[in-house]
Amino acid sequence: MNTHRERQTVSFEQLEALLRDIFLAHGTSTNVAAILARNCASAERDAAHSHGVFRIPGYVSTLHSGWVDGRAVPLVEDVAAAFIQVDARNGFAQPALAAAAPLAVAKTRDAGSCVVGIHGSHHFGALWLDVEPFAEQGLVALSVVNSMAVVVPHGATKPVFGTNPMAFATPRDGHLPLVFDQATSAMAHGDIKIAAREGRLVPDGIGVARNGQPTRDPKAILEGGALLPFGGHKGSSLALMIEILAAALTGGRFSFEVDWSAHPGAQTPCTGQCVILIDPAKAGSLLGFTQRVERLIATLHDAGQDRLPGDRRHAARARAAREGIALDTHTWNELNAYAEAPGRPTS
Amino acid sequence: MNTHRERQTVSFEQLEALLRDIFLAHGTSTNVAAILARNCASAERDAAHSHGVFRIPGYVSTLHSGWVDGRAVPLVEDVAAAFIQVDARNGFAQPALAAAAPLAVAKTRDAGSCVVGIHGSHHFGALWLDVEPFAEQGLVALSVVNSMAVVVPHGATKPVFGTNPMAFATPRDGHLPLVFDQATSAMAHGDIKIAAREGRLVPDGIGVARNGQPTRDPKAILEGGALLPFGGHKGSSLALMIEILAAALTGGRFSFEVDWSAHPGAQTPCTGQCVILIDPAKAGSLLGFTQRVERLIATLHDAGQDRLPGDRRHAARARAAREGIALDTHTWNELNAYAEAPGRPTS
């Protein structure tokens, strides 16, 4: 992080409004702009920098490439008591999920569980932002999304899988939801990009160069190289499961089928996403469930695990509420330029 | 494996019948004996030795300890369109799942998905055997089960989690289902036990001794030591999710709540299990789905991944069908002794 640079502090609402203006200036509908702006500002607020304003140039470049439809109106199909299918119609994934969410919550409360299968969707945001709102409404949520072929399966020599993250959220009693979000690759793609931008090496075991040899150079991984799964064959099996749930099950593209070669500048994989929702009240009461979760968390603390998944994001969120969101001034000016110029700024 | 010993070849049916006799001789009901015998013989047939006849002394010892009810009749509650709750009533998990399975399949075909939450259940078998039959019926199945506190969470100093495996199965087109089953610990408990029995060291990064120091001695891990999660904080987060899904959600015990100190000889953790079923036909057709899975698998083979999860088990199954199941004669004689003597043999 460029801590030596001059910094600017903005409120969440200021950042959200500026990001909305950017999306609108580059061709999205009002609804899509509102959803993506809130999503991206939330990631920045929670210090999830790899999915915050860092992503704006990629969004803009993709919108200009014609690869994504920033005005797509998703088609939500009520298939069965516990199954919703959504055609994102080559638009972003977040508006597709938002379109299905009220029905998904109602079905889950009624039936006890529900699967939402989204296809034709571009996911370029943080996955935990998709599950946390369901936990805020008292549901347990699990989501997986596939991306583009950048991960070499265990035992293979060529990339097939995406970084294929899995995000999980559960309600707690008297606390913000417990949420985790983790790539099945040894490192998230966004973190590799940030390391490349900052000129840092990545640890051993993260990726290979174009020639298949292990490398610590993030640029070599990004330019013709590939990532490895986390945890050897086990992470690889999870990535495989995620291709099946997010693509085969939804009607979306596999990661290795993403071909944006006709759209220079495109950066958002168009694949599929699966969300599994469960109503924990069905096995007793929501309070009974959340009290049990608290007992588990207290036991983890007693055993010496100080930090739970999501704690750092929630701390950043509280800090942002008190002090605002800090951005370096160069970035803030760049964002303002994106909002003003309808063309594609060169940065 | 004691390949230098004299070996005996038996058919699946012979082995299954002998195991049924053993369970009956040690106090289970006819139904429980039939289900556990089929389960254990299937693991042995598929060369999953850590969950095959190797488990029989543990089953017998647990039955004699009074910790498990081998005659329990599970209570299946039809809670909602896509939610089933099962009280295993301190019996084994497999009869509880078997009691719910026909309703679970019907609900999943009707509603598109279904969650089965089981509590008060003793799971001592291979988890993939719980999901594969659903895939044989055209459903996608995911199951998780927690066990007993033998895994130290990432960043903690004391064990809290079980080995908490996750098993996944999907139908294929013209092939046996694709199935994987993996512990969230760096090694499965059964494999540690086998290493201890055979006097082998385990690799680095698998476990710690009683004093918290890393060790490669499986006996030190089993006797007062603990396992580590696979893949660092990511495997640890999965283990945490599995405690929530298998215990908090079902009404079962957390792994750290298992206390069999009043039942010397008990070896089967009494916790909970969660099964999530999805009907892939709801997003189109079963054939369309399985053909997409075949495309993914063909791509993995093209990328150099020769062996898929479950391939080794299916190869062993085919070999057993041709040649029978090979057991060393000492083991075969021991099993026969278990079936004949109603008391607890010393071996």
Side-chain angles (χ1 to χ4, degrees), chain A residues 12-343:
Chain A
F12 179 82
E13 291 70 24
Q14 276 179 297
L15 180 59
E16 188 184 21
L18 178 59
L19 297 179
R20 202 163 46 223
D21 289 348
I22 293 173
F23 285 113
L24 284 172
H26 297 277
T28 75
S29 66
T30 313
N31 181 52
V32 169
I35 290 169
L36 293 185
R38 183 166 196 82
N39 185 280
C40 185
S42 298
E44 190 66 32
R45 174 199 65 195
D46 289 4
H49 300 295
S50 60
H51 291 85
V53 300
F54 173 68
R55 294 268 163 164
I56 290 297
Y59 273 117
V60 169
S61 150
T62 306
L63 282 161
H64 282 265
S65 78
W67 166 246
V68 67
D69 181 357
R71 310 187 70 83
V73 177
L75 187 67
V76 177
E77 196 187 344
D78 182 346
V79 177
F83 201 103
I84 298 171
Q85 191 168 25
V86 188
D87 181 354
R89 293 164 118 179
N90 198 36
F92 291 103
Q94 291 80 7
L97 181 57
L103 180 63
V105 170
K107 277 183 177 292
T108 307
R109 292 219 172 105
D110 192 41
S113 68
C114 184
V115 167
V116 183
I118 304 171
H119 67 275
S121 48
H122 296 249
H123 207 291
F124 202 55
L127 192 60
W128 54 271
L129 284 163
D130 295 352
V131 291
E132 192 174 45
F134 291 110
E136 286 168 349
Q137 293 171 82
L139 304 180
V140 171
L142 178 67
S143 184
V144 293
V145 62
N146 65 322
S147 55
M148 56 204 170
V150 291
V151 172
V152 179
H154 189 75
T157 57
K158 286 184 290 193
V160 175
F161 300 140
T163 53
N164 294 12
M166 169 190 291
F168 174 80
T170 182
R172 293 185 57 181
D173 181 25
H175 294 269
L176 292 176
L178 174 72
V179 183
F180 73 79
D181 175 2
Q182 54 195 33
T184 50
S185 53
M187 187 175 271
H189 210 242
D191 289 327
I192 302 277
K193 283 183 175 176
I194 287 193
R197 189 183 65 174
E198 298 181 355
R200 282 189 287 107
L201 294 178
V202 298
D204 279 322
I206 301 292
V208 294
R210 187 185 299 271
N211 58 9
Q213 291 302 305
T215 181
R216 295 187 55 200
D217 177 2
K219 288 202 172 112
I221 294 171
L222 291 170
E223 293 160 12
L227 289 161
L228 297 171
F230 91 97
H233 74 277
K234 291 187 181 183
S236 195
S237 290
L238 292 174
L240 169 61
M241 175 182 82
I242 291 172
E243 292 290 336
I244 291 168
L245 292 176
L249 182 75
T250 66
R253 287 191 188 98
F254 290 122
S255 297
F256 63 85
E257 292 172 330
V258 172
D259 178 10
W260 48 36
S261 56
H263 298 274
Q267 293 188 37
T268 61
C270 180
T271 56
Q273 178 175 5
C274 180
V275 184
I276 298 172
L277 301 172
I278 306 175
D279 182 1
K282 281 288 183 285
S285 69
L286 178 59
L287 181 62
F289 170 77
T290 56
Q291 286 176 340
R292 290 287 290 157
V293 172
E294 293 310 313
R295 171 149 163 78
L296 174 58
I297 289 172
T299 304
L300 288 170
H301 287 315
D302 287 348
Q305 184 172 19
D306 293 330
R307 206 175 75 199
L308 287 171
D311 276 358
R312 191 156 48 184
R313 287 194 294 269
H314 290 153
R317 189 180 306 177
R319 196 167 54 240
R322 288 192 312 268
E323 305 167 11
I325 299 167
L327 292 170
D328 68 70
T329 302
H330 175 73
T331 301
W332 181 249
N333 293 340
E334 265 190 346
L335 292 175
N336 277 281
Y338 275 117
E340 281 156 27

Side-chain angles (χ1 to χ4, degrees), chain A residues 111 157 234 257 292 295 303, chain B residues 82 157 185 234 257 292 295 303:
Chain A
T157 57
K234 291 187 181 183
E257 292 172 330
R292 290 287 290 157
R295 171 149 163 78
Chain B
T157 56
S185 53
K234 292 186 180 183
E257 293 172 329
R292 291 286 289 155
R295 172 148 164 77

